[in-house]
């Protein structure tokens, strides 16, 4: 399957999920290119998808060196504190803010506010990064004094399961939390967005209110060069 064919299919799926959920607002598709080469990323751009997601500094740097187009860059991987200074000026969105030390480093190094999602481990799986849901409100309050950290929303990865109900409930849980954080009405924490949904579960995520979906395998395949 070509990127073009994949994108046609995914577009139809997005449209159908929005109709099912009675939604007219935007769902932004982030093409996750972490597993593929810059040439495949260029096929994505040729389809008019200008939002790319990478999860490692090296992959990001490599793509940026080979791509001249006006791309919106999303960093979706966990970020080591010592890498902050190298990465923040290269990206438009960070999807993995999950600890105070990371926010402190962004505050120290950034010259303008960085758009961030708080990563939440809704399912509580050991293997996943992210804040425990019970920590999110307190963490948001702590970020109120960080004017270089702009919390645009919350991000999660659904649990690794075939059980649709469990997946759906984790997305519902993230939405409830997002609304609570938004209600804090903190200036640098608008928290209006939801980054959730990947190849296996993006339709459920859209039904549950995702505004950014992150699709890799379904769109570009894996290990393609
Ligand atoms: C790899 C990755 C994706 C894309 O996953 P696919 O299943 O390939 O669509 C989305 N979000 C994050 C955080 C990822 O690491």
């Amino acid at each position: 399957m070509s990127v073009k064919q994949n994108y046609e299919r995914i577009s139809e799926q997005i449209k159908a999920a929005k109709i099912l959920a009675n939604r007219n607002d935007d769902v932004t598709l982030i093409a996750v290119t972490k597993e593929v080469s810059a040439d495949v990323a260029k096929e994505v751009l040729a389809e008019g998808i200008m939002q790319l997601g990478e999860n490692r500094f090296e992959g990001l740097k490599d793509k940026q060196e080979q791509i001249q187009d006006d791309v919106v860059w999303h960093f979706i991987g966990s970020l080591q504190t010592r890498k902050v200074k190298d990465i923040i000026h290269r990206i438009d969105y960070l999807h993995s803010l999950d600890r105070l030390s990371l926010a402190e480093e962004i505050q120290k190094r950034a010259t303008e506010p960085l758009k961030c999602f708080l990563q939440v481990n809704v399912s509580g799986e050991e293997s996943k990064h992210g804040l425990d849901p019970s920590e999110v409100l307190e963490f948001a309050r702590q970020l109120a004094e960080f004017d270089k950290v702009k919390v645009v929303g919350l991000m999660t990865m659904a649990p690794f399961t075939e059980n649709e109900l469990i997946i759906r409930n984790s997305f519902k849980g993230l939405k409830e939390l997002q609304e609570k954080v938004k209600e804090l009405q903190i200036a640098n924490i608008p928290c209006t967005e939801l980054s959730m949904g990947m190849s296996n579960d993006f339709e459920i995520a859209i039904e549950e209110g995702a505004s950014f979906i992150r699709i890799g395998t379904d769109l570009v395949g894996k290990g393609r060069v």
Side-chain angles (χ1 to χ4, degrees):
M1 280 285 192
S2 68
V3 169
K4 188 181 190 62
Q5 286 168 316
N6 289 339
Y7 183 42
E8 280 169 11
R9 184 188 67 246
I10 291 167
S11 298
E12 288 304 315
Q13 288 171 290
I14 292 173
K15 214 192 288 175
K18 285 180 71 173
I19 289 170
L20 200 60
N22 237 321
R23 290 184 55 179
N24 297 314
D25 55 335
D26 286 335
V27 175
T28 301
L29 169 62
I30 301 168
V32 176
T33 48
K34 67 188 184 193
E35 304 264 9
V36 298
S37 67
D39 283 341
V40 178
K42 285 177 186 170
E43 289 177 41
V44 169
L45 300 175
E47 295 305 314
I49 307 169
M50 304 311 286
Q51 319 260 340
L52 299 186
E54 287 284 328
N55 70 338
R56 285 172 55 246
F57 173 68
E58 290 72 21
L60 177 74
K61 195 160 161 272
D62 174 58
K63 298 289 190 314
Q64 289 182 333
E65 280 165 2
Q66 299 187 55
I67 291 171
Q68 269 73 51
D69 300 79
D70 218 354
V71 172
V72 177
W73 295 99
H74 297 261
F75 195 78
I76 60 171
S78 64
L79 180 56
Q80 292 169 287
T81 309
R82 64 184 174 82
K83 290 263 172 80
V84 164
K85 63 177 185 313
D86 299 323
I87 226 163
I88 52 172
H89 303 289
R90 292 178 169 270
I91 61 175
D92 298 288
Y93 289 88
L94 174 68
H95 288 248
S96 54
L97 179 53
D98 61 355
R99 58 191 190 279
L100 198 59
S101 57
L102 191 54
E104 284 167 347
E105 184 68 7
I106 294 168
Q107 180 67 23
K108 191 166 126 191
R109 303 284 186 173
T111 49
E112 53 188 290
L114 178 65
K115 294 196 273 283
C116 300
F117 288 86
L118 303 186
Q119 184 171 355
V120 186
N121 185 358
V122 185
S123 64
E125 283 178 304
E126 286 279 339
S127 60
K128 292 211 165 72
H129 290 271
L131 296 150
D132 187 270
S134 67
E135 302 171 325
V136 172
L137 284 172
E138 181 53 31
F139 185 57
R141 287 193 193 96
Q142 288 178 319
L143 294 178
E145 57 194 270
F146 290 70
D147 65 339
K148 296 295 191 291
V149 175
K150 181 173 182 182
V151 179
V152 296
L154 303 185
M155 176 276 215
T156 200
M157 292 171 83
F160 190 69
T161 172
E162 306 256 296
N163 187 323
E164 203 182 297
L165 189 64
I166 294 176
I167 294 171
R168 189 178 294 280
N169 282 338
S170 74
F171 292 151
K172 275 191 204 299
L174 195 73
K175 175 150 182 75
E176 280 169 21
L177 259 182
Q178 174 254 315
E179 284 171 351
K180 284 187 190 148
V181 176
K182 184 174 160 225
E183 280 164 18
L184 295 175
Q185 301 199 354
I186 300 171
N188 62 323
I189 308 185
C191 202
T192 50
E193 308 302 318
L194 282 168
S195 168
M196 57 189 197
M198 309 180 6
S199 291
N200 288 330
D201 53 27
F202 70 89
E203 290 158 289
I204 305 173
I206 291 170
E207 288 169 37
E208 299 304 331
S211 52
F212 289 80
I213 56 175
R214 314 177 306 267
I215 302 185
T217 316
D218 243 28
L219 182 64
V220 294
K222 252 186 173 155
R224 266 190 70 200
V225 286

